[in-house]
Amino acid sequence: MTCYETLFVVKPTLTEEEIAAQIAKVKDVLAKEGAELVGTNDMGMRKLAYQVEKHNRGYYTVLFYKAEGATIQELERNLKINEDIIKFLTVKYTKNKEIAQFDKLVAEANKGTTETKAPEAEATEA
């Protein structure tokens, strides 16, 4: 299986629940196609470099996964027909240096999710 990274931008006009549902849809496509999701980096709402579909901002999410080539075709097909996704980019990691960088990015993404979830768990307990 090859290592991939997919970044996609969700419309900023959606509510938090709708954004979470869009991210879940993308993850479901990966799961159905047999991809192994190894990391997720929710970058949050950010300013776009240029206006896309009359939007200046968007909700950025990066998924790190291992999959076969046919999975990418199905994932990108779903991203293209989804009207709530305004941009996406898939990067393939094949060389040893690239795979080392992929592992580093996955470790950072996983570290970031555990750090952000810990304070929320403490807040709900109190």
Side-chain angles (χ1 to χ4, degrees), residues 4-9 26 50 60-65 72 75-76 79-80 85-93:
Y4 292 96
E5 165 190 341
T6 298
L7 176 134
F8 59 96
V9 183
V26 175
Y50 53 90
Y60 283 69
T61 303
V62 183
L63 301 178
F64 301 97
Y65 54 95
I72 304 308
L75 175 65
E76 289 189 351
L79 290 170
K80 285 177 188 175
I85 308 278
I86 55 177
K87 281 283 184 193
F88 67 90
L89 173 73
T90 300
V91 178
K92 179 180 178 181
Y93 294 91

Side-chain angles (χ1 to χ4, degrees), residues 22-110:
Q22 293 302 323
I23 295 169
K25 276 185 189 179
V26 175
K27 288 180 179 179
D28 288 343
V29 170
L30 289 173
K32 287 178 187 173
E33 293 296 314
E36 177 190 346
L37 186 65
V38 292
T40 303
N41 184 3
D42 282 333
M43 298 171 71
M45 197 68 69
R46 292 183 175 226
K47 187 176 185 311
L48 296 169
Y50 53 90
Q51 199 173 45
V52 179
E53 295 180 14
K54 298 183 181 179
H55 297 291
N56 292 321
R57 300 180 65 75
Y59 192 90
Y60 283 69
T61 303
V62 183
L63 301 178
F64 301 97
Y65 54 95
K66 295 179 181 179
E68 301 297 329
T71 303
I72 304 308
Q73 291 176 337
E74 180 63 19
L75 175 65
E76 289 189 351
R77 184 186 73 79
N78 280 280
L79 290 170
K80 285 177 188 175
I81 61 174
N82 188 337
E83 293 178 0
D84 293 325
I85 308 278
I86 55 177
K87 281 283 184 193
F88 67 90
L89 173 73
T90 300
V91 178
K92 179 180 178 181
Y93 294 91
T94 54
K95 298 178 182 170
N96 288 338
K97 284 185 177 181
E98 293 173 346
I99 292 173
Q101 182 66 20
F102 175 82
D103 292 336
K104 182 179 172 185
L105 290 169
V106 168
E108 288 176 15
N110 289 334

Side-chain angles (χ1 to χ4, degrees), residues 116-126:
T116 56
K117 288 185 180 177
E120 292 174 6
E122 292 173 8
T124 56
E125 291 174 6

